[in-house]
Amino acid sequence: MYAVKGIDVSTRIRDVVEHKVSVYISLFNKYDFKVLEQIVEPVRWSLNLFSREGSVESVTTGNIVKIRSPFLRGRSCLGDNIVSIVKNVQENTVYIHRTAYLCNRFADDSFCPLHIGSEYSKYLLFVYGLKEFPQGVGLALIPHMVYLLYIGGSNLKVGIANAVKNIVRLYEQIFIYSSIVAFVENAAIARGIEKKLSSYYVKDRASVVERLEWIKRVDVKMIEEHLKNFVMMFSRHVKPLLKSVGIEKEKEFIPVIRFYDKCFEVVEKSYVIYDRDSLNVLEGVAEVEDYCLGGFTVNLGGKRYFIPYQLIRDHFIAIDIVK
């Protein structure tokens, strides 16, 4: 049995496409936006695991695992993350050193009794809007990224990620298009922008089921329709709010990221696991296949299953690594 401690994804750029998208802001006001679309392909990935015995393992394409039912066996403690910052004025550089303390204890919520008051717990309580800004916590004081995820229809999500995690935070999640809208000095500024953008039209939370319902239906031949929807929502609801907090300036283009066509096709042809109940009935020897769209596929009994990372994140999973 292992605790899931993270997923690492490396990508390469397959193509960069420039689009001109016309949007009606009102009945008579039409604007033309330039969009720079970066199409990426996963080239390396690993699911990072920590055993109850204290060993660190990883699973990736080609590994054989034995899945035992129920697959999920409870939440694992998030441990701690200690970050120190050294600024070099002459080099105009900031050096960030991080020490991660892994924990293999069960936790009713997110932290065991040993780590309930850890720096990482204070950081997360602020990020989730439950506590005031933690002044002495290094992770909150480093630069942060503000991003948008378009997950289909009229669903747009805003989120933040610290500089240690950075763009990998995007790849933990399910999305059709993503866009990085700002890099800011610390978590307080990022959280302020996130709160400002969280409105009736932009969410700061989106369920796995919501995301999967759209991903499963994506026709890559019609992917530009999703791009138009994203640009329309960005121009109408996000751009004015960014201007109001002094972030959005006149840019030459809107940058967006999406995975290349095969990733959507793999999910469309897989048995998608929508919830933990469906996940828990899986059992048997499986071959781990590919990472795609915020999850990975396994071949079990001749069927390909897509398992979203968000369903197993920070949980113990009942698997044995065969090879």
Side-chain angles (χ1 to χ4, degrees):
M1 185 166 59
Y2 295 91
V4 178
K5 292 299 182 181
I7 190 168
D8 292 326
V9 181
S10 298
T11 64
R12 68 179 177 188
I13 299 172
R14 282 184 64 97
D15 201 0
V16 177
V17 183
E18 185 175 314
H19 301 269
K20 180 180 177 182
V21 181
S22 298
V23 173
Y24 281 91
I25 305 298
S26 62
L27 186 60
F28 301 107
N29 292 324
K30 186 179 85 167
Y31 288 86
D32 293 325
F33 293 92
K34 286 184 180 179
V35 180
L36 200 64
E37 177 187 39
Q38 189 179 93
I39 303 171
V40 300
E41 173 188 14
V43 289
R44 289 186 304 275
W45 73 280
S46 64
L47 186 67
N48 303 320
L49 308 172
F50 191 44
S51 76
R52 291 284 287 164
E53 294 72 36
S55 64
V56 178
E57 306 284 351
S58 65
V59 167
T60 188
T61 301
N63 284 136
I64 305 297
V65 298
K66 183 178 180 180
I67 299 173
R68 291 178 278 119
S69 180
F71 186 82
L72 292 177
R73 300 292 178 93
R75 291 184 64 87
S76 68
C77 172
L78 299 181
D80 201 1
N81 273 269
I82 306 296
V83 170
S84 60
I85 308 165
V86 177
K87 295 183 179 180
N88 189 313
V89 178
Q90 292 179 333
E91 296 180 1
N92 193 27
T93 305
V94 176
Y95 294 93
I96 300 172
H97 177 76
R98 179 179 74 111
T99 302
Y101 295 92
L102 301 181
C103 184
N104 57 4
R105 298 178 181 87
F106 284 96
D108 292 333
D109 190 5
S110 297
F111 295 92
C112 71
L114 180 65
H115 293 111
I116 192 67
S118 64
E119 287 202 6
Y120 194 41
S121 70
K122 295 173 184 176
Y123 169 76
L124 289 182
L125 286 172
F126 170 73
V127 169
Y128 295 150
L130 301 175
K131 293 288 184 179
E132 296 297 319
F133 181 71
Q135 295 292 344
V137 175
L139 198 57
L141 300 174
I142 64 176
H144 275 61
M145 173 180 80
V146 183
Y147 63 87
L148 295 169
L149 298 181
Y150 171 73
I151 57 179
S154 59
N155 297 295
L156 195 60
K157 177 192 177 295
V158 60
I160 65 174
N162 63 70
V164 173
K165 182 157 284 189
N166 208 341
I167 200 168
V168 174
R169 177 67 180 124
L170 301 180
Y171 302 149
E172 294 178 356
Q173 304 181 70
I174 300 165
F175 64 87
I176 299 173
Y177 277 102
S178 66
S179 182
I180 299 168
V181 297
F183 286 97
V184 295
E185 187 176 347
N186 56 46
I189 300 171
R191 177 65 182 146
I193 297 170
E194 183 183 43
K195 288 173 67 176
K196 187 77 173 180
L197 293 181
S198 298
S199 65
Y200 180 77
Y201 297 102
V202 184
K203 309 175 182 180
D204 59 0
R205 297 286 183 271
S207 71
V208 173
V209 173
E210 278 183 285
R211 299 172 192 231
L212 288 173
E213 284 177 346
W214 282 101
I215 285 290
K216 186 71 174 176
R217 301 201 304 260
V218 169
D219 181 351
V220 291
K221 295 176 182 176
M222 303 292 290
I223 195 74
E224 284 193 34
E225 293 302 312
H226 289 287
L227 181 60
K228 289 177 182 177
N229 280 347
F230 168 76
V231 173
M232 181 179 68
M233 294 192 69
F234 179 88
S235 60
R236 289 181 178 178
H237 309 304
V238 176
K239 192 177 178 71
L241 290 173
L242 288 175
K243 282 186 176 180
S244 72
V245 294
I247 296 296
E248 177 66 11
K249 301 178 177 63
E250 290 303 321
K251 294 182 179 179
E252 186 179 345
F253 55 81
I254 302 171
V256 298
I257 301 170
R258 78 163 171 94
F259 284 101
Y260 83 122
D261 297 356
K262 183 184 174 183
C263 290
F264 291 94
E265 292 166 355
V266 166
V267 174
E268 194 273 330
K269 294 175 181 177
S270 301
Y271 293 87
V272 174
I273 302 297
Y274 283 88
D275 52 46
R276 293 188 172 95
D277 289 339
S278 302
L279 186 59
N280 279 337
V281 300
L282 296 183
E283 190 169 15
V285 176
E287 180 180 0
V288 181
E289 294 187 331
D290 298 315
Y291 165 88
C292 53
L293 303 182
F296 58 95
T297 57
V298 298
N299 189 306
L300 176 63
K303 293 182 179 179
R304 176 190 284 156
Y305 294 88
F306 173 71
I307 301 175
Y309 173 70
Q310 285 178 269
L311 289 183
I312 63 173
R313 180 184 178 186
D314 304 325
H315 279 75
F316 282 98
I317 57 175
I319 66 168
D320 299 314
I321 302 173
V322 178
K323 67 174 182 178

